[in-house]
Amino acid sequence: MSYDQLDCRVSAPCIIDTGIVVNKRDMQKLLVDLARVRYLHIQDGQVCNEAEGYVVEVFASEQQATLVANHALYLNVNSFDYLELKQSPEKETYFDLIQEGRLLRLIPISNPLEEHASRKFNAAALDAVMDQVLSGNWDSQLDEDCPF
């Protein structure tokens, strides 16, 4: 059997709840579902800042910075060397974004399952309201057009 006949494909990694993610697209996929988080900024092993915030945007750019201010987080995955998924003793997953001696730990406060259900409900409620508004608008136009 020659080398050409061998199947030399390498499987993509499979990470479940713990592990290290280096691919920037994979990092984005994990972070984009975050909403409310508690975050810790750790520099050289010392906690510099700890607060709650909301992940407003997750992106990959060579020209833009990661920004954390006024409880809003704009996360550029290119600002970090890798992401490490870890679990707390309570089996809750959290995210460590690591760049040399700096670590930004994101601990989710909101649950993506609840957020998704809430978004679906809000969309359905908005559709119902719009239907009522539009049908009410048509009714009022019909009333104005008919002079009886």
Side-chain angles (χ1 to χ4, degrees):
M1 182 186 313
S2 73
Y3 180 76
D4 294 335
Q5 294 173 331
L6 292 175
D7 186 5
C8 294
R9 287 182 286 164
V10 176
S11 296
C14 177
I15 299 170
I16 300 172
D17 291 326
T18 60
I20 294 176
V21 178
V22 295
N23 182 286
K24 302 302 183 185
R25 285 187 184 172
D26 288 341
M27 290 169 64
Q28 258 184 290
K29 286 177 189 175
L30 285 170
L31 298 172
V32 77
D33 286 330
L34 296 177
R36 288 186 55 223
V37 295
R38 197 177 90 200
Y39 64 88
L40 286 86
H41 172 221
I42 301 169
Q43 183 76 38
D44 297 322
Q46 299 290 338
V47 176
C48 300
N49 191 10
E50 181 176 357
E52 286 187 15
Y54 190 84
V55 177
V56 176
E57 185 178 8
V58 179
F59 56 96
S61 171
E62 297 297 328
Q63 286 81 32
Q64 298 178 21
T66 287
L67 302 170
V68 179
N70 196 29
H71 303 287
L73 290 85
Y74 300 86
L75 303 172
N76 182 355
V77 295
N78 287 343
S79 295
F80 305 97
D81 297 326
Y82 61 95
L83 180 150
E84 190 169 356
L85 284 167
K86 295 182 176 179
Q87 281 194 331
S88 69
E90 296 82 24
K91 299 295 183 197
E92 297 293 327
T93 301
Y94 61 92
F95 307 83
D96 282 348
L97 292 162
I98 299 165
Q99 176 197 38
E100 296 177 13
R102 173 179 306 202
L103 181 143
L104 179 60
R105 176 166 292 162
L106 305 174
I107 304 163
I109 296 173
S110 57
N111 180 332
L113 295 174
E114 292 169 3
E115 293 285 325
H116 183 69
S118 173
R119 274 188 243 143
K120 272 185 145 177
F121 174 75
N122 290 341
L126 181 61
D127 285 344
V129 168
M130 288 303 292
D131 287 343
Q132 289 177 353
V133 168
L134 290 174
S135 67
N137 190 22
W138 284 109
D139 289 345
S140 68
Q141 283 182 355
L142 287 174
D143 290 344
E144 291 171 6
D145 292 340
C146 297
F148 35 108

